[in-house]
Amino acid sequence: MFIIPKFKPVKSKKSIKRIAVLTSGGDAPGMNAAIRAVVRTTLAHGCEAFGVQRGYSGLLENLIHPMGASSVANIIQRGGTILRTSRCPEFMTRKGRKQAIELLERHGIDGLVVIGGDGSFRGASILVKESGIPVMGVPGTIDNDIPCTDDTIGFDTAVNTGIQLIDKIRDTASSHDRIFLVEVMGRHSGMIALHTGMGGGAETIVVPEVRTTVNSIVEAIERGVRRGKTSSIIVVAEGCQFGGATPLAKELTKRGYSPKLAILGHTQRGGSPSAHDRLLASTLGAVAVHSLLAGVKEGMVGVEGDYVHITSFKRISQKPAVLSQQLLEISRDLAV
Ligand code: ADP
């Protein structure tokens, strides 16, 4: 249950009339639900809504279009992003951003919602400073690696997808007495690995945040063997010290094991968003618009505990996202 802050819309000559939304960086399931929430909330408050195609690139290339209520119909259940997304190196230059600001001004956009990850928020923060246009961020990434929010849109779906795939792998692993290395996404973060591994009952979870050795992984396998286990599932974060599951498989092979590899890769990015992600995206997208209408100038709408709240982009850039050591310890105890 979300506890949502109450914002009072500011009514003045300067109040916001046109709000644009874009998705940037890696796509995540639930981004469409967030776009829908931004557009419908904007329209519900008597303002005009605009969609920017292809993230910050669309701001430079004038891919800015009005969006009506029906333009976001039938998308809440769809993965990916109807606005498409991109990585835009030009936006990292002052010249590129100047062009983007000119286009935003030409369209009369007086508020922007950026749905993306921490990179997108760094861009958003600079855009606010250089343009004076208020920008709210909505955390959309499967990695769940953004500080000041417990959750990001897409994470729950990615973890559920990973768990379903591990369940299938376990069926064959236990039938054939096999060791399976399952590589999951997450860039430099072990959040997806930890949650997928714990939910899938993995014997070992290898994350970038905690250094380990091949010896200790072998020990975990052997501990299982001594207890009569005939198969092992090892969940490996792509960003771990070994550089993913493939190099780790080579190390285990050198020590006489014959591990099988399953690289989940982009399967975890796709698919219909879970109920949780749809609710999260709908809530955060709506609150981003409420806060713009109430005169908030910048920041990310996140959720900590049950509380939806806003954190300035500066604070987000200063704080690291932390992996729960307690959860990691619990996962180790459960795998014994
Ligand atoms: P994510 O938002 O998923 O973390 P990226 O890190 O690739 O993805 O960032 C998405 C986009 O945000 C970049 O392609 C760039 O356009 C913009 N961006 C990232 N960092 C900056 C920065 N320091 N200054 C300006 N724009 C940035």
Side-chain angles (χ1 to χ4, degrees):
M1 196 61 161
F2 294 123
I3 298 161
I4 298 163
K6 286 203 174 75
F7 289 106
K8 266 206 182 131
V10 185
K11 291 258 180 280
S12 74
K13 267 190 204 156
K14 279 190 170 175
S15 61
I16 287 181
K17 293 176 191 71
R18 291 183 161 199
I19 295 177
V21 57
L22 61 83
T23 48
S24 168
D27 65 300
M31 278 184 161
N32 281 327
I35 294 168
R36 173 179 176 271
V38 171
V39 169
R40 295 251 167 109
T41 310
T42 299
L43 299 173
H45 285 82
C47 301
E48 289 174 74
F50 289 78
V52 181
Q53 297 274 331
R54 299 190 59 243
Y56 292 124
S57 301
L59 289 184
L60 277 98
E61 294 162 19
N62 197 15
L63 304 173
I64 306 174
H65 310 283
M67 292 185 88
S70 59
S71 68
V72 289
N74 204 17
I75 65 165
I76 197 166
Q77 77 284 15
R78 282 169 58 189
T81 155
I82 59 159
L83 288 176
R84 317 220 312 280
T85 180
S86 73
R87 297 210 152 86
C88 177
E90 295 93 329
F91 197 75
M92 298 204 181
T93 66
R94 211 182 158 91
K95 188 166 163 249
R97 290 192 299 273
K98 192 162 170 270
Q99 200 175 325
I101 293 165
E102 274 168 21
L103 278 167
L104 280 168
E105 284 170 352
R106 204 191 299 164
H107 286 272
I109 305 294
D110 36 26
L112 177 67
V113 178
V114 171
I115 305 165
D118 54 352
S120 303
F121 297 161
R122 278 194 293 279
S125 175
I126 299 173
L127 182 63
V128 179
K129 283 193 197 109
E130 292 179 358
S131 69
I133 298 171
V135 184
M136 297 307 298
V138 171
T141 161
I142 62 166
D143 301 334
N144 201 5
D145 60 348
I146 303 180
C148 309
T149 185
D150 294 341
D151 209 353
T152 60
I153 297 163
F155 176 66
D156 183 65
T157 307
V159 169
N160 275 299
T161 302
I163 288 173
Q164 282 165 18
L165 294 169
I166 287 183
D167 288 349
K168 292 182 205 293
I169 289 167
R170 192 178 285 286
D171 287 346
T172 168
S174 54
S175 304
H176 285 278
D177 299 352
R178 274 187 175 144
I179 297 169
F180 256 96
L181 297 184
V182 181
E183 183 182 296
V184 298
M185 290 187 110
R187 293 194 295 180
H188 307 296
S189 163
M191 285 292 269
I192 292 184
L194 176 57
H195 287 239
T196 305
M198 211 165 152
E203 274 66 32
T204 307
I205 304 169
V206 185
V207 293
E209 290 85 348
V210 180
R211 287 195 81 77
T212 184
T213 59
V214 179
N215 278 349
S216 64
I217 294 169
V218 167
E219 265 169 39
I221 296 170
E222 289 304 321
R223 234 185 353 259
V225 172
R226 282 198 295 277
R227 277 193 45 242
K229 280 189 181 179
T230 53
S231 63
S232 279
I233 304 265
I234 301 173
V235 170
V236 185
E238 64 179 355
C240 76
Q241 68 194 78
F242 303 107
T246 310
L248 182 57
K250 281 191 188 134
E251 288 298 325
L252 290 175
T253 306
K254 276 189 212 159
R255 290 167 198 235
Y257 297 93
S258 312
K260 295 281 170 198
L261 261 182
I263 298 178
L264 303 192
H266 286 78
T267 55
Q268 283 196 288
R269 243 187 220 295
S272 182
S274 64
H276 176 85
D277 277 333
R278 294 182 199 196
L279 286 170
L280 181 70
S282 300
T283 306
L284 300 189
V287 173
V289 174
H290 293 163
S291 52
L292 282 174
L293 298 177
V296 178
K297 295 292 177 228
E298 62 105 343
M300 177 194 75
V301 187
V303 60
E304 282 182 296
D306 286 338
Y307 289 87
V308 174
H309 66 113
I310 292 161
T311 311
S312 72
F313 290 131
K314 187 173 177 198
R315 189 161 161 74
I316 293 167
S317 68
Q318 289 167 339
K319 268 188 83 172
V322 281
L323 189 76
S324 165
Q325 291 301 312
Q326 282 153 304
L327 212 56
L328 201 59
E329 279 162 28
I330 289 173
S331 79
R332 283 194 199 118
D333 290 346
L334 298 185
V336 173

